[in-house]
Amino acid sequence: MQKRSYAMRSAIISCLSLVLVSCNHTGQKTVEKKSSNVNQAATTQGLNLYSGQTNPNIRVVIESPVAQQVLEGSSAKVSKIAGSSAPNSDVSVTKTDKSASADALTFAWKDSWRAALNFEANAPLDLADYMQAGVVNFHLNVIELAKGGLAFKAKCVGSSCERKIPYVLDGRELAGKGWQHLSVPLKCFAQDGDNFSGVRLPFALETGGEGKLAIANVNIQKTGNTNVTCPDYKTVAVTPSMLNEWWSISWWLPRHLQKLEEIKVRKNAQVIFIGDSITQGWEKDGFNVFNHNYEKYNAVALGFGGDRTENVLWRLLHGEVDGLNPKVAVLMFGTNNTGHRQEKPELTAAGIKRDIEELQKRLPNTKILLLAIFPRDEKPEGELRQINNRVNAIISTFADNKKIYFLDINKSFLDDKGNLPKEIMPDLLHPNEKGYEIWAKAMEPTLLKLLK
């Protein structure tokens, strides 16, 4: 099964790579508001981020999930913090030689679900004039990435304005091939309305898991030829894709194949659940609740941790409900679109709508019970919760009360102040057994009505 899974994944990835289009946001509008406190040097000439020479406005900072460390000498290491979410995280950077003394940085990380090598500006940089045709140039030597991830990142102005370009599959292809020159289009980091007039993080490498790489000659230019592609952020949520994260590649496709076998023996399922890790949790913290409430319906839980709308779509297109004819399909996903890329609500909603359309094609007799995306963040004003709320406002309009029904049970999880208790969702995202009991109880009246 492992050989079959690997072969199938490799074939699919090869096919998908042929249709990946380069970042081309023609006509994209970015905010070009100037700030009197902004360093204007980047608007008149190329900006050197690292070449071994000192740039007084740029500092190199490494980070683990729980701490940061500035590179001040020849090397730096992030301190481990006992009792934290990553107590064994080992993240370091060392100045090394490529073409000259100390002209490169070797970055290594281990046992860290997130790590980063940041090129930070001491004073805000005005990159607004760079965004349409500008590039980030650098040399990259991927030494080891078999168990790690890689993405390129930049931040625009605003607390949630963080943009990433995934590079894990391409990065793994470069492992062991020595130094490679990469040129990334800056417009890959830009979305409509973004403000790049006061940037604190013009470029970073974001990683995770375990790996080692070196980077040199990092600079930003107003124009240049590019050799790195990026998906169009406006269509990612509706473009079918496997979940290609460093932490999911080894299990995601095998789980899909396992679910294909499971539905063969549960063809008479009356209820199916489709979603992300919260739905997958019916097999974990919610196991007893699921058996007590839904085993009598021969129910199937098709939940995959980390899934976004495009990953659900891929699964539907590759047979995950084929052969089934349930009375009700319970849908609840979209929170990873929010958490992973702080996606605009209308784009996540479009992804959910596309999944519903595909599900209706494949299960024309099934009633769809679309749940509001569950609350996250402790407080009502939490940024990610607010994004989810705006998605919910849009998807509530998808209900026709004939084939598609919308149900918002979110208040059942909250206290009287709208706070999300850790006694129900310990990580403020995933329910524990008590949370799954609340879910089942709140949904029961509507589910029973639809099962009639």
Side-chain angles (χ1 to χ4, degrees):
M1 177 62 75
Q2 289 180 340
K3 291 183 178 179
R4 178 188 171 194
S5 299
Y6 180 82
M8 181 176 179
R9 171 175 286 278
S10 298
I12 293 170
I13 290 173
S14 296
C15 292
L16 290 177
S17 65
L18 295 175
V19 299
L20 182 64
V21 296
S22 63
C23 181
N24 182 18
H25 307 313
T26 304
Q28 188 175 57
K29 297 178 180 178
T30 56
V31 177
E32 298 187 4
K33 181 180 178 181
K34 306 291 184 180
S35 169
S36 59
N37 297 320
V38 170
N39 185 319
Q40 300 292 329
T43 65
T44 59
Q45 59 185 0
L47 173 65
N48 172 44
L49 298 183
Y50 188 83
S51 63
Q53 300 176 355
T54 301
N55 183 336
N57 193 40
I58 300 295
R59 63 178 187 170
V60 175
V61 181
I62 57 173
E63 61 178 292
S64 73
V66 294
Q68 293 186 335
Q69 183 62 51
V70 178
L71 175 63
E72 295 179 326
S74 61
S75 64
K77 190 178 182 70
V78 177
S79 300
K80 297 182 179 181
I81 300 179
S84 69
S85 61
N88 299 315
S89 179
D90 191 348
V91 181
S92 65
V93 65
T94 304
K95 291 182 178 180
T96 50
D97 304 341
K98 179 184 178 291
S99 302
S101 176
D103 64 341
L105 298 170
T106 297
F107 180 53
W109 66 98
K110 185 178 181 181
D111 297 327
S112 188
W113 51 267
R114 190 183 69 81
L117 174 64
N118 300 328
F119 299 92
E120 298 183 359
N122 293 318
L125 296 170
D126 187 346
L127 297 180
D129 292 338
Y130 280 68
M131 299 313 297
Q132 184 58 37
V135 296
V136 182
N137 293 308
F138 55 95
H139 285 89
L140 185 71
N141 180 9
V142 179
I143 301 167
E144 177 58 52
L145 202 62
K147 297 180 180 179
L150 176 61
F152 306 135
K153 182 173 74 173
K155 288 186 177 181
C156 39
V157 178
S159 59
S160 64
C161 198
E162 179 177 287
R163 310 298 183 215
K164 299 177 188 177
I165 303 171
Y167 204 71
V168 60
L169 296 178
D170 299 282
R172 290 184 179 186
E173 285 292 321
L174 295 181
K177 295 182 179 179
W179 286 100
Q180 305 290 324
H181 176 260
L182 299 183
S183 185
V184 181
L186 282 176
K187 60 186 176 183
C188 284
F189 297 111
Q191 299 184 12
D192 288 349
D194 284 351
N195 182 357
F196 282 89
S197 66
V199 176
R200 285 285 191 176
L201 184 65
F203 186 65
L205 302 180
E206 183 162 289
T207 64
E210 178 180 347
K212 187 176 183 180
L213 54 80
I215 188 170
N217 304 322
V218 189
N219 62 84
I220 295 177
Q221 301 293 332
K222 279 193 173 182
T223 61
N225 296 323
T226 64
N227 59 7
V228 173
T229 59
C230 60
D232 185 344
Y233 79 92
K234 293 181 179 180
T235 60
V236 170
V238 297
T239 303
S241 171
M242 292 187 289
L243 183 61
N244 291 319
E245 298 288 350
W246 67 265
W247 43 265
S248 67
I249 290 174
S250 64
W251 61 262
W252 194 90
L253 183 58
R255 178 172 171 83
H256 169 69
L257 297 174
Q258 175 192 349
K259 287 299 179 181
L260 295 184
E261 295 300 316
E262 182 179 343
I263 64 174
K264 288 179 182 179
V265 297
R266 289 185 178 267
K267 288 188 175 182
N268 62 341
Q270 297 180 59
V271 178
I272 63 173
F273 291 78
I274 300 175
D276 47 39
S277 58
I278 298 174
T279 296
Q280 187 175 356
W282 283 121
E283 302 172 20
K284 300 175 182 178
D285 287 309
F287 181 79
N288 293 330
V289 181
F290 189 86
N291 284 342
H292 177 74
N293 289 277
Y294 307 120
E295 186 60 32
K296 57 191 173 186
Y297 303 123
N298 202 29
V300 179
L302 302 172
F304 284 53
D307 264 16
R308 296 130 210 174
T309 56
E310 64 268 24
N311 309 130
V312 173
L313 180 58
W314 190 97
R315 292 194 279 126
L316 294 177
L317 289 169
H318 289 79
E320 208 157 280
V321 298
D322 291 0
L324 298 176
N325 188 29
K327 291 183 178 180
V328 179
V330 180
L331 276 58
M332 205 286 291
F333 48 83
T335 198
N336 290 313
N337 293 53
T338 295
H340 179 72
R341 53 185 182 244
Q342 292 83 53
E343 191 167 66
K344 296 181 186 299
E346 60 270 23
L347 300 180
T348 300
I352 294 172
K353 185 175 183 179
R354 175 67 182 89
D355 290 330
I356 291 174
E357 291 170 348
E358 188 62 36
L359 193 62
Q360 288 184 307
K361 289 179 184 178
R362 294 173 181 272
L363 302 177
N365 301 318
T366 299
K367 295 176 181 177
I368 294 174
L369 178 54
L370 176 62
L371 299 183
I373 302 172
F374 286 177
R376 60 186 301 166
D377 293 338
E378 183 177 9
K379 302 292 184 180
E381 61 271 17
E383 192 167 12
L384 299 182
R385 195 196 294 193
Q386 288 296 313
I387 295 175
N388 279 352
N389 287 345
R390 291 195 288 273
V391 177
N392 289 335
I394 298 172
I395 66 175
S396 66
T397 66
F398 297 168
D400 59 13
N401 295 323
K402 295 177 181 178
K403 284 291 188 178
I404 305 172
Y405 299 81
F406 178 78
L407 178 63
D408 185 346
I409 63 171
N410 288 0
K411 288 184 179 180
S412 302
F413 298 111
L414 307 174
D415 64 20
D416 56 2
K417 295 183 179 179
N419 297 326
L420 181 59
K422 290 187 177 182
E423 292 77 18
I424 294 173
M425 296 188 189
D427 64 352
L428 302 176
L429 178 61
H430 298 93
N432 57 16
E433 185 173 30
K434 182 177 180 181
Y436 282 101
E437 289 174 350
I438 292 172
W439 180 356
K441 182 178 179 181
M443 188 175 69
E444 184 177 18
T446 302
L447 181 61
L448 291 177
K449 187 184 301 183
L450 297 181
L451 283 168
K452 291 181 179 178

